[in-house]
mmCIF file with all atom_site columns, all heavy atoms in Angstrom:
data_model
loop_
_atom_site.group_PDB
_atom_site.id
_atom_site.type_symbol
_atom_site.label_atom_id
_atom_site.label_alt_id
_atom_site.label_comp_id
_atom_site.label_asym_id
_atom_site.label_entity_id
_atom_site.label_seq_id
_atom_site.pdbx_PDB_ins_code
_atom_site.Cartn_x
_atom_site.Cartn_y
_atom_site.Cartn_z
_atom_site.occupancy
_atom_site.B_iso_or_equiv
_atom_site.pdbx_formal_charge
_atom_site.auth_seq_id
_atom_site.auth_comp_id
_atom_site.auth_asym_id
_atom_site.auth_atom_id
_atom_site.pdbx_PDB_model_num
ATOM 1   N N   . ASP A 1 174 ? 54.091 16.723 -2.143 1.00 43.00 ? 1311 ASP A N   1
ATOM 2   C CA  . ASP A 1 174 ? 54.615 15.843 -1.102 1.00 43.00 ? 1311 ASP A CA  1
ATOM 3   C C   . ASP A 1 174 ? 55.916 16.375 -0.501 1.00 43.00 ? 1311 ASP A C   1
ATOM 4   O O   . ASP A 1 174 ? 56.636 15.652 0.167  1.00 43.00 ? 1311 ASP A O   1
ATOM 5   C CB  . ASP A 1 174 ? 54.870 14.448 -1.682 1.00 43.00 ? 1311 ASP A CB  1
ATOM 6   C CG  . ASP A 1 174 ? 55.156 13.421 -0.591 1.00 43.00 ? 1311 ASP A CG  1
ATOM 7   O OD1 . ASP A 1 174 ? 54.543 13.523 0.490  1.00 43.00 ? 1311 ASP A OD1 1
ATOM 8   O OD2 . ASP A 1 174 ? 55.995 12.536 -0.818 1.00 43.00 ? 1311 ASP A OD2 1
ATOM 9   N N   . THR A 1 175 ? 56.240 17.655 -0.754 1.00 42.00 ? 1312 THR A N   1
ATOM 10  C CA  . THR A 1 175 ? 57.482 18.204 -0.224 1.00 42.00 ? 1312 THR A CA  1
ATOM 11  C C   . THR A 1 175 ? 57.327 18.527 1.254  1.00 42.00 ? 1312 THR A C   1
ATOM 12  O O   . THR A 1 175 ? 56.221 18.545 1.795  1.00 42.00 ? 1312 THR A O   1
ATOM 13  C CB  . THR A 1 175 ? 57.865 19.496 -0.965 1.00 42.00 ? 1312 THR A CB  1
ATOM 14  O OG1 . THR A 1 175 ? 56.867 20.482 -0.690 1.00 42.00 ? 1312 THR A OG1 1
ATOM 15  C CG2 . THR A 1 175 ? 57.982 19.267 -2.446 1.00 42.00 ? 1312 THR A CG2 1
ATOM 16  N N   . GLU A 1 176 ? 58.457 18.860 1.900  1.00 41.00 ? 1313 GLU A N   1
ATOM 17  C CA  . GLU A 1 176 ? 58.456 19.153 3.342  1.00 41.00 ? 1313 GLU A CA  1
ATOM 18  C C   . GLU A 1 176 ? 57.511 20.299 3.681  1.00 41.00 ? 1313 GLU A C   1
ATOM 19  O O   . GLU A 1 176 ? 56.884 20.305 4.719  1.00 41.00 ? 1313 GLU A O   1
ATOM 20  C CB  . GLU A 1 176 ? 59.896 19.484 3.789  1.00 41.00 ? 1313 GLU A CB  1
ATOM 21  C CG  . GLU A 1 176 ? 60.062 19.668 5.300  1.00 41.00 ? 1313 GLU A CG  1
ATOM 22  C CD  . GLU A 1 176 ? 59.818 21.095 5.733  1.00 41.00 ? 1313 GLU A CD  1
ATOM 23  O OE1 . GLU A 1 176 ? 59.917 22.007 4.908  1.00 41.00 ? 1313 GLU A OE1 1
ATOM 24  O OE2 . GLU A 1 176 ? 59.520 21.305 6.931  1.00 41.00 ? 1313 GLU A OE2 1
ATOM 25  N N   . GLY A 1 177 ? 57.383 21.260 2.762  1.00 41.00 ? 1314 GLY A N   1
ATOM 26  C CA  . GLY A 1 177 ? 56.569 22.434 3.068  1.00 41.00 ? 1314 GLY A CA  1
ATOM 27  C C   . GLY A 1 177 ? 55.089 22.244 2.839  1.00 41.00 ? 1314 GLY A C   1
ATOM 28  O O   . GLY A 1 177 ? 54.299 23.142 3.070  1.00 41.00 ? 1314 GLY A O   1
ATOM 29  N N   . ALA A 1 178 ? 54.671 21.094 2.355  1.00 50.00 ? 1315 ALA A N   1
ATOM 30  C CA  . ALA A 1 178 ? 53.250 20.916 2.035  1.00 50.00 ? 1315 ALA A CA  1
ATOM 31  C C   . ALA A 1 178 ? 52.380 20.959 3.271  1.00 50.00 ? 1315 ALA A C   1
ATOM 32  O O   . ALA A 1 178 ? 51.269 21.473 3.233  1.00 50.00 ? 1315 ALA A O   1
ATOM 33  C CB  . ALA A 1 178 ? 53.051 19.592 1.300  1.00 50.00 ? 1315 ALA A CB  1
ATOM 34  N N   . GLY A 1 179 ? 52.858 20.407 4.364  1.00 67.00 ? 1316 GLY A N   1
ATOM 35  C CA  . GLY A 1 179 ? 52.125 20.495 5.627  1.00 67.00 ? 1316 GLY A CA  1
ATOM 36  C C   . GLY A 1 179 ? 50.789 19.804 5.623  1.00 67.00 ? 1316 GLY A C   1
ATOM 37  O O   . GLY A 1 179 ? 49.839 20.272 6.254  1.00 67.00 ? 1316 GLY A O   1
ATOM 38  N N   . LEU A 1 180 ? 50.681 18.671 4.904  1.00 76.00 ? 1317 LEU A N   1
ATOM 39  C CA  . LEU A 1 180 ? 49.411 17.965 4.814  1.00 76.00 ? 1317 LEU A CA  1
ATOM 40  C C   . LEU A 1 180 ? 48.884 17.572 6.196  1.00 76.00 ? 1317 LEU A C   1
ATOM 41  O O   . LEU A 1 180 ? 47.704 17.730 6.488  1.00 76.00 ? 1317 LEU A O   1
ATOM 42  C CB  . LEU A 1 180 ? 49.575 16.719 3.935  1.00 76.00 ? 1317 LEU A CB  1
ATOM 43  C CG  . LEU A 1 180 ? 48.354 15.790 3.828  1.00 76.00 ? 1317 LEU A CG  1
ATOM 44  C CD1 . LEU A 1 180 ? 47.174 16.534 3.229  1.00 76.00 ? 1317 LEU A CD1 1
ATOM 45  C CD2 . LEU A 1 180 ? 48.692 14.553 3.006  1.00 76.00 ? 1317 LEU A CD2 1
ATOM 46  N N   . GLY A 1 181 ? 49.780 17.057 7.047  1.00 82.00 ? 1318 GLY A N   1
ATOM 47  C CA  . GLY A 1 181 ? 49.350 16.604 8.369  1.00 82.00 ? 1318 GLY A CA  1
ATOM 48  C C   . GLY A 1 181 ? 48.734 17.713 9.194  1.00 82.00 ? 1318 GLY A C   1
ATOM 49  O O   . GLY A 1 181 ? 47.709 17.518 9.861  1.00 82.00 ? 1318 GLY A O   1
ATOM 50  N N   . LEU A 1 182 ? 49.329 18.903 9.145  1.00 83.00 ? 1319 LEU A N   1
ATOM 51  C CA  . LEU A 1 182 ? 48.810 20.044 9.909  1.00 83.00 ? 1319 LEU A CA  1
ATOM 52  C C   . LEU A 1 182 ? 47.448 20.483 9.367  1.00 83.00 ? 1319 LEU A C   1
ATOM 53  O O   . LEU A 1 182 ? 46.537 20.809 10.130 1.00 83.00 ? 1319 LEU A O   1
ATOM 54  C CB  . LEU A 1 182 ? 49.806 21.203 9.849  1.00 83.00 ? 1319 LEU A CB  1
ATOM 55  C CG  . LEU A 1 182 ? 49.458 22.440 10.673 1.00 83.00 ? 1319 LEU A CG  1
ATOM 56  C CD1 . LEU A 1 182 ? 49.326 22.099 12.156 1.00 83.00 ? 1319 LEU A CD1 1
ATOM 57  C CD2 . LEU A 1 182 ? 50.510 23.530 10.480 1.00 83.00 ? 1319 LEU A CD2 1
ATOM 58  N N   . ILE A 1 183 ? 47.310 20.462 8.050  1.00 82.00 ? 1320 ILE A N   1
ATOM 59  C CA  . ILE A 1 183 ? 46.033 20.834 7.436  1.00 82.00 ? 1320 ILE A CA  1
ATOM 60  C C   . ILE A 1 183 ? 44.937 19.856 7.857  1.00 82.00 ? 1320 ILE A C   1
ATOM 61  O O   . ILE A 1 183 ? 43.820 20.257 8.221  1.00 82.00 ? 1320 ILE A O   1
ATOM 62  C CB  . ILE A 1 183 ? 46.176 20.890 5.901  1.00 82.00 ? 1320 ILE A CB  1
ATOM 63  C CG1 . ILE A 1 183 ? 47.067 22.075 5.512  1.00 82.00 ? 1320 ILE A CG1 1
ATOM 64  C CG2 . ILE A 1 183 ? 44.813 20.994 5.219  1.00 82.00 ? 1320 ILE A CG2 1
ATOM 65  C CD1 . ILE A 1 183 ? 47.428 22.140 4.045  1.00 82.00 ? 1320 ILE A CD1 1
ATOM 66  N N   . ILE A 1 184 ? 45.248 18.555 7.829  1.00 84.00 ? 1321 ILE A N   1
ATOM 67  C CA  . ILE A 1 184 ? 44.272 17.553 8.257  1.00 84.00 ? 1321 ILE A CA  1
ATOM 68  C C   . ILE A 1 184 ? 43.898 17.761 9.721  1.00 84.00 ? 1321 ILE A C   1
ATOM 69  O O   . ILE A 1 184 ? 42.735 17.652 10.098 1.00 84.00 ? 1321 ILE A O   1
ATOM 70  C CB  . ILE A 1 184 ? 44.833 16.128 8.028  1.00 84.00 ? 1321 ILE A CB  1
ATOM 71  C CG1 . ILE A 1 184 ? 44.965 15.852 6.529  1.00 84.00 ? 1321 ILE A CG1 1
ATOM 72  C CG2 . ILE A 1 184 ? 43.931 15.080 8.685  1.00 84.00 ? 1321 ILE A CG2 1
ATOM 73  C CD1 . ILE A 1 184 ? 45.639 14.537 6.204  1.00 84.00 ? 1321 ILE A CD1 1
ATOM 74  N N   . MET A 1 185 ? 44.905 18.095 10.550 1.00 87.00 ? 1322 MET A N   1
ATOM 75  C CA  . MET A 1 185 ? 44.644 18.305 11.971 1.00 87.00 ? 1322 MET A CA  1
ATOM 76  C C   . MET A 1 185 ? 43.640 19.443 12.180 1.00 87.00 ? 1322 MET A C   1
ATOM 77  O O   . MET A 1 185 ? 42.689 19.327 12.961 1.00 87.00 ? 1322 MET A O   1
ATOM 78  C CB  . MET A 1 185 ? 45.945 18.623 12.699 1.00 87.00 ? 1322 MET A CB  1
ATOM 79  C CG  . MET A 1 185 ? 45.793 18.666 14.212 1.00 87.00 ? 1322 MET A CG  1
ATOM 80  S SD  . MET A 1 185 ? 47.245 19.350 15.040 1.00 87.00 ? 1322 MET A SD  1
ATOM 81  C CE  . MET A 1 185 ? 46.924 21.095 14.811 1.00 87.00 ? 1322 MET A CE  1
ATOM 82  N N   . VAL A 1 186 ? 43.840 20.550 11.487 1.00 85.00 ? 1323 VAL A N   1
ATOM 83  C CA  . VAL A 1 186 ? 42.924 21.692 11.610 1.00 85.00 ? 1323 VAL A CA  1
ATOM 84  C C   . VAL A 1 186 ? 41.518 21.297 11.152 1.00 85.00 ? 1323 VAL A C   1
ATOM 85  O O   . VAL A 1 186 ? 40.515 21.672 11.773 1.00 85.00 ? 1323 VAL A O   1
ATOM 86  C CB  . VAL A 1 186 ? 43.449 22.903 10.807 1.00 85.00 ? 1323 VAL A CB  1
ATOM 87  C CG1 . VAL A 1 186 ? 42.412 24.027 10.780 1.00 85.00 ? 1323 VAL A CG1 1
ATOM 88  C CG2 . VAL A 1 186 ? 44.757 23.411 11.409 1.00 85.00 ? 1323 VAL A CG2 1
ATOM 89  N N   . LEU A 1 187 ? 41.449 20.508 10.089 1.00 85.00 ? 1324 LEU A N   1
ATOM 90  C CA  . LEU A 1 187 ? 40.144 20.065 9.584  1.00 85.00 ? 1324 LEU A CA  1
ATOM 91  C C   . LEU A 1 187 ? 39.459 19.114 10.574 1.00 85.00 ? 1324 LEU A C   1
ATOM 92  O O   . LEU A 1 187 ? 38.234 19.133 10.722 1.00 85.00 ? 1324 LEU A O   1
ATOM 93  C CB  . LEU A 1 187 ? 40.308 19.402 8.217  1.00 85.00 ? 1324 LEU A CB  1
ATOM 94  C CG  . LEU A 1 187 ? 40.716 20.344 7.070  1.00 85.00 ? 1324 LEU A CG  1
ATOM 95  C CD1 . LEU A 1 187 ? 41.071 19.565 5.823  1.00 85.00 ? 1324 LEU A CD1 1
ATOM 96  C CD2 . LEU A 1 187 ? 39.594 21.347 6.785  1.00 85.00 ? 1324 LEU A CD2 1
ATOM 97  N N   . ILE A 1 188 ? 40.238 18.287 11.260 1.00 86.00 ? 1325 ILE A N   1
ATOM 98  C CA  . ILE A 1 188 ? 39.668 17.395 12.282 1.00 86.00 ? 1325 ILE A CA  1
ATOM 99  C C   . ILE A 1 188 ? 39.082 18.216 13.429 1.00 86.00 ? 1325 ILE A C   1
ATOM 100 O O   . ILE A 1 188 ? 37.976 17.937 13.917 1.00 86.00 ? 1325 ILE A O   1
ATOM 101 C CB  . ILE A 1 188 ? 40.752 16.429 12.807 1.00 86.00 ? 1325 ILE A CB  1
ATOM 102 C CG1 . ILE A 1 188 ? 41.047 15.354 11.761 1.00 86.00 ? 1325 ILE A CG1 1
ATOM 103 C CG2 . ILE A 1 188 ? 40.299 15.763 14.114 1.00 86.00 ? 1325 ILE A CG2 1
ATOM 104 C CD1 . ILE A 1 188 ? 42.228 14.466 12.099 1.00 86.00 ? 1325 ILE A CD1 1
#
Side-chain angles (χ1 to χ4, degrees):
D1311 191 36
T1312 65
E1313 186 271 339
L1317 175 61
L1319 184 59
I1320 291 173
I1321 293 174
M1322 188 191 81
V1323 173
L1324 292 171
I1325 286 172

